[in-house]
Amino acid sequence: MMRAFCTALALFFAAPSAAQSLDPFLLAQLESSGTVEEIEAAIGAAERAQSPDLRLLFDLAALRIDRLEAELAPLAAARALTDLALFAQRHRAILEEDPLALLERARDLFATQDRPDLAAEVSGRILIELRDVAADEATIIAALREEARLLRLAGNSEAADARLNEATFLEERVSSPSRNTGDEGGYRLVDVFYATDRARSGKSAPSRFYGSDRGPLETGIAQVSIPNAHRPGDIEAPSIWRLEFGPSPAKHIVLRSVSPLESAPFFARLSEEIDVRARKELFVFIHGYNVTFAQAAKRAAQMAYDMNFAGIPVLYSWPSRGATTAYISDSAVVRRSGRHLRDFLTDLLAETGEARVHIIAHSMGNRAVSDALELMATATPPAPGAPPFDQVIFAAPDVDAELFQTMLKAFRPLANRMTLYASDQDWALSASRRLHGNAPRAGQAGAGMIRAEGLDAIDMSSLGEDMLAHSYFADDASALVDLSTLFWRGVAPDRRCGIEAEEEALWRFVGGVCSDTRVLAALTTLRTAQVETLSEARDVITGIIDDATLARDVLRLVEGIISE
């Protein structure tokens, strides 16, 4: 049986399409019951593909390590963790994985197996990584002392003394009153208010503060830095090809801090922030499958920054494992989060008063959102003409299409406008459909695309440029223009940029029409300035766009947006 399974794996992973290699059938089998040998066969097949998928290789390697630990092979697992950490270092920009977490696991495994020599060797790698990513001095001092301890256990007293001396020197330098800390500059900070039912990991580093285990509902504030040279739609990360070995706030989007707050002070702080903002509004972003807390926080900050959102970005992060091999695990936990999300949204509406609240749900996160909205609608139906939410956007929803349409009938009254972004180029949803017995997904465009009363269904297939054609809603400047327009005025699709009528109750997004980043900048400026008339808009546009043709096109767009 194993031979047949491995043959199927080899035939499948040898396919030239990287997107096909993410088919959940085989990944689900590997995740639930794959042996070390079967996983190794999958890794070998994936490596031989025409365009090896680095994300898949990483996740398969991580799954193999889990199996090794489960089969009581800790030394093999520790060596594999060390190798995987090096792989994560080489491909930071693509993987966005933290090598430190892998190295620390390897060090601890070696130590528990009475191999302080190997644990000390890994500790040396940890120290190099900490210096590469410009960790604070206290963290580096602790790492030096830990390496010294392990070196002494391994019988290398001379090296241990050298590390202790280095730690002492650094402590003295830190405590010196004449120390000049300098000023990094080159970036701006975005505060992302968050709620999550992830459990804390026990790690202090912001990127690892929350893990993938289930936990109680918790709130707080995450601070993300955006480089001044940021390009709209990008999530800048270090790349070894640019000789960047660690994140730099002046070059990359970085999660700099995570600060939990109890519910009362959280909502008090949120209310204070709303009161001083130019626009009394916020959006709640709910991420999809295969996303860590850190990745979700950076995405929420990027969208707010790119739209020059005058309100407050809020993240709801459910306990996705952040791995391509964990589709089944994510599917099992996301529906549980729907109840917690319902509770959070209910409290959010009660505590923020008259503020406009928008929702952006992506991929599998739509399952939690659909459940939460249905529960809210059935528990307390909104008063006629007074929906609690302004804009609700379902982006590439990985939800059964028939179920979504049924639930929509219950929760449609909860928002002023509901928008569906779908695509027929979305490989992730195509794979999900196969896993679900060929049942169409709500985020799929094409002949069976959802059409429903009170829902603006927009075919976004023209924007499928990323590998999975799955994150177009935030990766593309023209898609961000549409989000910004919705948040600004909430107008119908025929009054927004690049949207054409396809047929009754169905719209098509024309890629490239509003892809110039200056269009996004102009709209966000108009929105922040609370422009209400064409004469005001004309003055602002001519002041920020020196290209006469582009200025004319933007003004024509604005005429449609603000006309009554």
Side-chain angles (χ1 to χ4, degrees):
M1 183 174 178
M2 189 192 86
R3 182 181 301 172
F5 183 41
C6 291
T7 300
L9 286 170
L11 288 173
F12 187 82
F13 283 107
S17 170
Q20 281 184 312
S21 69
L22 292 171
D23 186 281
F25 281 117
L26 296 175
L27 295 182
Q29 285 182 281
L30 291 172
E31 180 193 2
S32 62
S33 59
T35 65
V36 170
E37 291 78 10
E38 289 168 342
I39 297 169
E40 288 173 347
I43 292 172
E47 289 174 335
R48 293 190 296 274
Q50 183 176 329
S51 299
D53 180 348
L54 299 179
R55 176 77 256 176
L56 178 63
L57 285 170
F58 180 92
D59 290 337
L60 286 172
L63 185 60
R64 174 178 175 270
I65 290 167
D66 290 343
R67 290 293 186 275
L68 287 171
E69 289 190 273
E71 295 179 12
L72 303 180
L75 285 177
R79 293 187 177 95
L81 280 165
T82 305
D83 292 340
L84 189 57
L86 297 177
F87 184 77
Q89 288 174 326
R90 288 197 299 272
H91 303 291
R92 289 180 195 269
I94 296 174
L95 298 174
E96 292 188 72
E97 291 289 343
D98 183 9
L100 280 172
L102 300 168
L103 290 171
E104 288 173 351
R105 282 179 63 192
R107 178 199 61 197
D108 294 345
L109 275 176
F110 281 132
T112 59
Q113 296 303 302
D114 197 25
R115 291 301 305 268
D117 54 331
L118 296 177
E121 182 180 329
V122 175
S123 288
R125 295 182 184 275
I126 290 173
L127 189 59
I128 293 171
E129 172 68 12
L130 289 171
R131 285 170 167 157
D132 280 345
V133 301
D136 61 85
E137 289 89 346
T139 302
I140 292 176
I141 290 168
L144 285 166
R145 293 192 176 280
E146 176 61 13
E147 186 179 359
R149 184 185 72 83
L150 292 167
L151 286 167
R152 200 170 302 283
L153 287 173
N156 193 341
S157 298
E158 184 177 349
D161 289 341
R163 286 306 195 209
L164 284 177
N165 290 337
E166 191 175 349
T168 301
F169 173 79
L170 187 55
E171 285 175 329
E172 292 173 350
R173 191 180 70 176
V174 170
S175 61
S176 172
S178 62
R179 179 172 178 254
N180 182 5
T181 58
D183 181 14
E184 291 177 281
Y187 62 88
R188 297 187 182 184
L189 297 173
V190 176
D191 284 342
V192 177
F193 285 72
Y194 72 82
T196 185
D197 51 357
R198 294 176 183 267
R200 297 191 194 185
S201 67
K203 305 292 185 181
S204 60
S207 63
R208 295 181 289 155
F209 192 88
Y210 289 106
S212 58
D213 290 336
R214 306 178 187 194
L217 185 62
E218 187 166 84
T219 51
I221 301 175
Q223 191 172 75
V224 178
S225 62
I226 309 286
N228 291 343
H230 165 72
R231 180 177 175 80
D234 285 353
I235 300 287
E236 289 87 358
S239 170
I240 194 171
W241 305 115
R242 295 192 297 268
L243 300 181
E244 297 170 343
F245 299 98
S248 166
K251 296 179 180 179
H252 314 120
I253 295 183
V254 180
L255 176 59
R256 296 175 63 85
S257 66
V258 176
S259 304
L261 289 172
E262 294 295 330
S263 180
F266 170 83
F267 283 115
R269 173 76 178 275
L270 184 61
S271 297
E272 291 171 2
E273 286 291 323
I274 290 174
D275 288 342
V276 300
R277 295 298 175 101
R279 293 179 65 90
K280 314 303 182 191
E281 65 180 329
L282 55 88
F283 71 74
V284 183
F285 171 58
I286 302 93
H287 62 80
Y289 143 73
N290 186 21
V291 176
T292 65
F293 179 89
Q295 290 167 337
K298 289 189 284 186
R299 176 63 84 185
Q302 169 253 316
M303 287 192 293
Y305 184 87
D306 287 351
M307 291 189 290
N308 196 20
F309 189 65
I312 298 171
V314 179
L315 165 69
Y316 188 90
S317 183
W318 52 280
S320 165
R321 281 181 53 192
T324 54
T325 56
Y327 186 92
I328 302 300
S329 299
D330 280 6
S331 295
V333 75
V334 68
R335 300 296 293 269
R336 166 187 178 268
S337 294
R339 273 64 180 165
H340 286 158
L341 177 58
R342 181 269 314 270
D343 295 341
F344 174 68
L345 290 175
T346 300
D347 291 343
L348 183 70
L349 292 169
E351 297 289 343
T352 54
E354 299 301 316
R356 297 168 65 204
V357 178
H358 315 294
I359 293 175
I360 309 173
H362 182 226
S363 184
M364 194 182 285
N366 281 275
R367 300 187 195 181
V369 170
S370 298
D371 284 352
L373 293 180
E374 185 178 47
L375 289 168
M376 293 177 72
T378 53
T380 309
F389 301 105
D390 187 5
Q391 303 299 313
V392 175
I393 293 93
F394 304 100
D398 185 3
V399 182
D400 182 273
E402 183 178 345
L403 175 63
F404 181 83
Q405 288 184 281
T406 300
M407 299 174 78
L408 178 65
K409 296 174 184 177
F411 61 64
R412 176 60 191 88
L414 292 180
N416 284 320
R417 184 176 295 279
M418 289 189 171
T419 302
L420 168 68
Y421 288 154
S423 172
D424 63 8
Q425 301 296 313
D426 194 322
W427 277 101
L429 291 187
S430 296
S432 175
R433 178 171 179 166
R434 292 196 295 275
L435 183 62
H436 289 88
N438 203 36
R441 315 312 289 165
Q444 289 186 295
M449 185 170 171
I450 287 178
R451 295 163 175 79
E453 182 179 356
L455 178 71
D456 296 330
I458 304 177
D459 185 339
M460 306 287 282
S461 301
S462 63
L463 298 184
E465 296 179 354
D466 64 307
M467 187 190 74
L468 296 181
H470 194 52
S471 298
Y472 50 78
F473 75 102
D475 283 344
D476 188 276
S478 57
L480 289 167
V481 166
D482 198 54
L483 278 178
S484 185
T485 303
L486 273 172
F487 291 168
W488 180 20
R489 306 284 293 192
V491 295
D494 60 347
R495 293 169 58 185
R496 308 202 306 259
C497 185
I499 299 181
E500 299 178 349
E502 184 76 6
E503 52 185 271
E504 185 178 359
L506 179 62
W507 305 87
R508 180 170 63 90
F509 194 89
V510 182
V513 174
C514 290
S515 58
D516 192 314
T517 56
R518 290 175 293 178
V519 177
L520 179 59
L523 288 183
T524 55
T525 300
L526 292 170
R527 185 167 178 267
T528 303
Q530 302 187 54
V531 167
E532 296 292 336
T533 67
L534 284 177
S535 59
E536 292 175 330
R538 187 176 293 105
D539 291 341
V540 172
I541 290 169
T542 55
I544 62 177
I545 299 180
D546 53 12
D547 183 324
T549 301
L550 181 62
R552 184 181 64 250
D553 292 343
V554 173
L555 186 58
R556 186 180 300 118
L557 167 63
V558 172
E559 287 176 356
I561 294 174
I562 67 177
S563 62
E564 298 298 333

